[in-house]
Structure formats: structure tokens, C-alpha cells
Amino acid sequence: MENYSNNGQPFRETLGSIMRNDRRWKPSSSAAVAAAAASSRSLQSSRTSIVMAFLSCLAWLYVAGRLWQDAESRTVLSNLLQKSFGHMPRILTLEDKLATLGCDRMEKKIVETEMELALAKSQGYLGDRMKGNGSAKRFLAVIGVYTGFGSRLNRNVFRGSWMPRGEALKKLEERGVVIRFVIGRSPNRGDSLDRNIDEENRQTKDFLILENHEEAAEELPKKAKYFFSTAIETWDTEFYVKVDDNINLDLNGLIGILESHHGQHGAYLGCMKSGNVINEVGRQWYEPQWWKFGDEKTYFRHASGSLMILSKDLARYININSASLQTYAHDDVSVGSWMIGLETTYIDDTRLCCGSSRQDKVCSVT
């Protein structure tokens, strides 16, 4: 087909004109490609956003479901625990058990019986606990001479001087005076120390062995509690005498003093003293509980530990209350502290001062 120009003449396209036309249309084709690419990128971005939104919804639904399941599980577990605790048996007290067994009345009866026993004890009804020589004979005094595992030489010296032995010891008991060496048990029960004392006692029969006391220098204050308690449970006497193992006695002179106080209640005899409380660690006679003795740091009045005498009612008080009695660093101070709250008659007899220069004193330091 021929084309015509404006003047009606046929227009013949040449190769040159065709190439020029192609060059004129090329820019339009590039723009279309660019627009198509942009449209494609926009479509891909929209698709990515939709996918991400969908995944986010799935993740939210998953998390919400797990939270709901956890909450429901906690609720179920909580209900189960509450039901379990509701059916668990409660911890029974001693009173509950006694009530269940019907023993609550029995417990009250036991307490009442213990109180009655303590009252009977305090009034002197010791019954078959009097075991000294198998009789209920009343003695004038029990003299307890403190001794230790390494003091056998001292004991033999006493036995050969002021202290009777053998038949003479029995005759003295017939006069109403009992003398015994007082000792506790070894920290290692049943060792050679205990066996040696048992063997010596089988030969001499002049020991009072404190089975519940551990023999040691630091336990000396407690030894007083065990001595007075054991002695009053063993012999019924008017007086209980404690003597150190470095003291020589004028036995007849001591018996004379005791007889002069016959029938006296609340008697606390000895060489009465007081003195400063030592509060410096390392010094002799150091008192760890020095702060209890006031700002002046002075001991109350008490009998010297070398020789002290208690009447029966005071010794019985120690026996009944031994578990709750406070001890201090020294046995004489400890005994003196127990006497303060009682109706005690303090008898300061200088003849009982073993370190004095009196000619008529009944004791002396070896």
C-alpha cells in the first residue's frame, strides 16, 4: 500500500526514514519497561507485607494460645493443690496425741505426782532412797573430803593421820559421823582412772563416787551440787560438811562444833569472807561472770571453800533444785549464791578458818 503526501503525491518510505522513526520510538519503550519494573517491585513488596502480616498473626495466635493453656494449667494445678492441702492431716501436737490416746488426764496426774514427790522430798520423806547402810539411822554429819585421780598419796596420808580406816571408820559411823573421799568419774568412762578408784574403794570402802559428775578442775563448782545431792540421798544426817583435799582436820573439835548446833535449821557454817571479783583474764581466781556482781565488783558473803557446812534443809534445797542452780568459777562462791535467797543463818566461826593462827582452830592447810 502506497502512502500519499499532502499534495497528493505518493510518499515512498526510505530505509533512512524508517531508522529515524525507530530511533524516535525507542525512548518510549524504555519508559514502559521502567514502569513495568516499578510495578513489579511494588507488587512484590505488597506480597511480602501480606506474608509478614500473616506470619505475625500466626505467631500472635500461637503465643496467645500458649498463655491461655498455661493460665488454665496453673488454675487446674492450684485447685488440685488446694484440694490436696485440704485433705492433708495436720501436724499433731503432744497435747493432741495425748488427747487422742486418752492420756491427757494421765499427764496431769504425773505432774501432780511429781509436785507431791518434790514436796515430800522437801519435808524429809526420803523413804527407801536412804541407802547408806541399809537402815534409817540418823547421823550427826557426813564429811566429804574432795579428792582427785592423782591424789592417792594425799588420801593415804589422811588415812594414817586424822581419818580413821577399817574398823575405826565403822566405829566412827556408829557415833554418827560418816567420812568419805568424794570423786567423780573420768571423762573417758571406764578407763584406767575409774578402774583404779574402783579397786581402791574395794579395799578401803571409804569413797563416795559421784556417778553423774565428770571429775575435772573446771567442773569443781558443779561437784558441790552433786556432792550435797548424793550425800543427802545416801545418808540422813543433820549436817553435810565439805572439806578440801589439802586440809588436816581436828576431828573431835569439828564434831564438838557440830554438836553445839544440834537441831538448828538453815545453818550455814564456815569461815565467812567476801572479796574483790577478778575480771582480768589470766589472773588467778578469774571470774568469767564478773559483770553480775555489780559496779563495785565485790563478792557477797560466803563460807570459804576449804571447809563449809550446811544443815540438812539447805542441802535438801540444793538436791531438789540442782538442775536450775547457777554455778560460778569457784565452788564456795557458787554455794554462797544458792544461800542468798533462803532463810539462812550465817555462822561465821573463826575456828573453821583453816589459814588462821588461832590455837583452837579445827583445820589447817597441809
Side-chain angles (χ1 to χ4, degrees):
M1 176 177 180
E2 289 184 355
N3 293 327
Y4 292 90
S5 64
N6 293 332
N7 54 12
Q9 294 296 324
F11 176 77
R12 300 182 184 271
E13 288 182 342
T14 64
L15 179 62
S17 65
I18 292 172
M19 291 179 66
R20 282 194 298 272
N21 289 335
D22 287 342
R23 283 196 296 268
R24 281 196 300 269
W25 283 102
K26 276 184 183 181
S28 299
S29 177
S30 299
V33 170
S39 176
S40 176
R41 283 197 299 271
S42 175
L43 181 59
Q44 289 178 357
S45 176
S46 298
R47 290 176 180 173
T48 302
S49 299
I50 292 171
V51 171
M52 291 300 296
F54 178 72
L55 292 177
S56 298
C57 289
L58 289 179
W60 183 87
L61 290 173
Y62 174 77
V63 171
R66 289 302 304 269
L67 291 175
W68 179 83
Q69 288 179 349
D70 290 344
E72 187 177 40
S73 299
R74 284 195 296 269
T75 303
V76 172
L77 181 60
S78 177
N79 293 333
L80 289 175
L81 289 175
Q82 289 178 0
K83 290 179 180 178
S84 299
F85 281 121
H87 290 88
M88 284 181 63
R90 67 188 183 90
I91 298 175
L92 296 178
T93 63
L94 177 59
E95 290 75 11
D96 295 332
K97 294 177 181 178
L98 291 174
T100 302
L101 297 173
C103 298
D104 48 346
R105 293 184 180 179
M106 186 180 296
E107 182 193 20
K108 294 178 181 178
K109 187 64 178 177
I110 291 173
V111 173
E112 292 173 359
T113 303
E114 288 177 346
M115 294 175 65
E116 291 173 359
L117 178 60
L119 178 61
K121 223 172 156 186
S122 67
Q123 294 175 349
Y125 299 103
L126 300 179
D128 20 347
R129 298 194 74 176
M130 305 299 304
K131 57 186 180 184
N133 56 3
S135 70
K137 180 180 177 180
R138 183 81 180 271
F139 294 88
L140 173 65
V142 170
I143 301 174
V145 182
Y146 277 22
T147 190
F149 293 114
S151 301
R152 183 161 189 168
L153 180 60
N154 277 1
R155 293 193 291 272
N156 289 334
V157 169
F158 290 162
R159 292 183 183 115
S161 57
W162 63 268
M163 180 177 174
R165 55 184 173 178
E167 289 300 320
L169 188 63
K170 292 181 180 179
K171 289 182 179 179
L172 183 64
E173 292 180 9
E174 292 175 0
R175 291 178 55 190
V177 177
V178 178
I179 303 177
R180 294 290 187 271
F181 289 111
V182 182
I183 192 170
R185 284 301 189 183
S186 168
N188 302 311
R189 292 297 180 98
D191 62 5
S192 60
L193 297 176
D194 282 345
R195 293 195 299 271
N196 291 338
I197 291 297
D198 290 337
E199 178 60 29
E200 185 179 349
N201 189 36
R202 277 191 290 270
Q203 297 173 8
T204 61
K205 294 180 174 57
D206 56 5
F207 277 89
L208 173 61
I209 300 177
L210 308 175
E211 295 291 345
N212 296 321
H213 174 65
E214 183 178 296
E215 190 67 34
E218 61 272 15
E219 298 295 328
L220 190 60
K222 294 180 181 178
K223 189 173 182 177
K225 292 199 293 187
Y226 285 105
F227 164 60
F228 287 114
S229 295
T230 306
I232 200 170
E233 291 180 355
T234 309
W235 297 281
D236 182 14
T237 74
E238 284 197 64
F239 298 100
Y240 296 84
V241 184
K242 177 261 176 177
V243 181
D244 277 345
D245 65 350
N246 63 339
I247 300 297
N248 279 323
L249 282 180
D250 173 5
L251 196 53
N252 290 327
L254 177 61
I255 292 173
I257 291 176
L258 296 175
E259 288 177 339
S260 68
H261 295 284
H262 174 71
Q264 184 169 356
H265 296 283
Y268 176 34
L269 294 84
C271 180
M272 297 297 168
K273 65 173 187 176
S274 58
N276 294 329
V277 179
I278 305 301
N279 63 347
E280 299 174 19
V281 179
R283 285 188 58 187
Q284 189 179 19
W285 315 121
Y286 168 66
E287 174 57 69
Q289 302 187 67
W290 56 266
W291 56 273
K292 290 185 178 180
F293 296 91
D295 295 336
E296 298 299 324
K297 298 183 180 62
T298 302
Y299 284 121
F300 38 75
R301 205 75 168 159
H302 62 276
S304 170
S306 299
L307 194 159
M308 67 176 75
I309 304 169
L310 299 180
S311 61
K312 179 181 178 179
D313 51 342
L314 298 182
R316 186 186 299 114
Y317 170 81
I318 295 174
N319 178 30
I320 295 172
N321 300 282
S322 60
S324 58
L325 291 176
Q326 170 71 52
T327 56
Y328 294 95
H330 315 294
D331 62 339
D332 53 356
V333 174
S334 299
V335 174
S337 70
W338 306 335
M339 300 297 106
I340 288 179
L342 307 177
E343 293 183 3
T344 306
T345 301
Y346 286 69
I347 301 172
D348 184 14
D349 193 329
T350 55
R351 291 174 295 175
L352 302 175
C353 296
C354 304
S356 73
S357 57
R358 282 191 59 161
Q359 296 298 317
D360 59 347
K361 66 182 180 179
V362 299
C363 60
S364 61
V365 181
T366 59

